[in-house]
Amino acid sequence: VIMLHFIGDFDKHKRNDALANMKSLLSVIGELGGLGAVTPAAYGLHSRHLPPFDPPRSDAETQTILHDALNQVGNHAKANGVHVLLEPLNRYEDYMLNTLEQGVAMCRTLNHPSVKLMGDLFHMSIEEQDMGKSIIAAKDHLAHIHVADSNRFEPGQAHTDFANPLKALKSIGFKGSLAYECRLKSDAADTLPRSTAYLKGFM
C-alpha cells in the first residue's frame, strides 16, 4: 500500500483514512485472487534515533492502536480471502516495529489467521543481528519477502549477504513469495535475469 499515512499514525483521522484505503485494497486483491496487501505500522512518522527522539504517545497506547487497526483490517482480509502482510521497517523509518521478532510478538498477541508477517531484506540488513536466525524464529508467521541489496538496488549491487537469509528460507520450507522491491542499475531486460541468477546461486 502506498499512502502518505498509515494505520499507526498519530492522527486519528489519518489512521481511519489509512484503514479505509487498506480495506479497499484488500477487497480488490481478493477479487483478483491475490495473496494480500503489505503495510508497515507507519512510514516516516517518527524515529527514536532522530530528533525529537521521544514519540508523542506511550508505547502502551501505540500497541493498543496497532492491535485495534490490525484486527480491523485482518477481519476485512479474512472476509475477502486474503491477508494483511505486516512489514517491520528500519529504525530510521519507523519506531513501532523494526524487527521480525517484534512483528512475531504482534502476530502472537493478535492471534489473527489473516494477519501475517513479511520480511524486507533491506530493512533486515540494518536491524537483524542474524537474518537467517530471525527468519527461522519467525517461520510460523512469515508469508512474504521483499528483496533488495543494502543500497536499495537489485541483489548483487552492494554488500548484503543473501546466502544467509536464502538458506534459512530453504531450511524452513518457505512456500511464500519473494518480490523485488528495489531500483535497477540498468535496463530490466538485462538486469533482472542476471540478478535472479545471482540469487539462485545461493539456493
Side-chain angles (χ1 to χ4, degrees):
V1 58
I2 303 297
M3 294 185 291
L4 296 178
H5 42 265
F6 295 86
I7 61 173
D9 202 283
F10 296 137
D11 183 278
K12 181 178 180 179
H13 298 292
K14 290 181 178 179
R15 289 199 304 272
N16 287 339
D17 185 58
L19 286 168
N21 275 281
M22 275 293 293
K23 290 174 182 178
S24 176
L25 185 60
L26 289 163
S27 294
V28 171
I29 291 170
E31 289 184 29
L32 294 172
L35 171 66
V38 174
T39 184
Y43 167 75
L45 181 67
H46 182 82
S47 170
R48 293 186 191 274
H49 297 268
L50 297 169
F53 301 111
D54 295 323
R57 68 184 178 205
S58 69
D59 289 347
E61 185 180 4
T62 288
Q63 292 297 307
T64 298
I65 286 170
L66 279 182
H67 191 278
D68 177 65
L70 288 168
N71 261 322
Q72 285 191 53
V73 291
N75 288 340
H76 191 85
K78 185 178 180 180
N80 286 271
V82 292
H83 293 86
V84 176
L85 304 170
L86 182 62
E87 178 182 12
L89 303 181
N90 74 72
R91 70 192 73 180
Y92 304 108
E93 297 182 23
D94 186 27
Y95 81 99
M96 289 174 262
L97 295 174
N98 304 126
T99 65
L100 288 189
E101 182 179 19
Q102 291 170 328
V104 166
M106 177 58 71
C107 288
R108 285 177 176 166
T109 299
L110 284 167
N111 193 29
H112 198 298
S114 296
V115 178
K116 300 294 184 180
L117 186 62
M118 68 144 291
D120 185 310
L121 299 187
F122 170 79
H123 297 293
M124 290 173 64
S125 71
I126 297 171
E127 296 297 337
E128 307 291 348
Q129 183 173 352
D130 185 314
M131 289 194 286
K133 288 182 180 178
S134 296
I135 285 169
I136 292 168
K139 65 180 181 180
D140 293 335
H141 304 277
L142 200 59
H144 186 57
I145 298 289
H146 277 173
V147 179
D149 217 321
S150 59
N151 58 0
R152 263 301 186 197
F153 282 100
E154 75 273 9
Q157 294 298 322
H159 54 73
T160 297
D161 175 16
F162 287 99
N164 176 283
L166 292 177
K167 288 178 180 177
L169 289 169
K170 186 174 182 179
S171 76
I172 64 172
F174 181 70
K175 300 299 183 185
S177 52
L178 283 75
Y180 274 42
E181 191 194 40
C182 58
R183 297 171 292 165
L184 301 179
K185 279 282 190 178
S186 59
D187 183 73
D190 297 323
T191 298
L192 292 177
R194 182 172 63 251
S195 182
T196 52
Y198 169 77
L199 287 181
K200 288 177 181 178
F202 298 116
M203 301 175 74

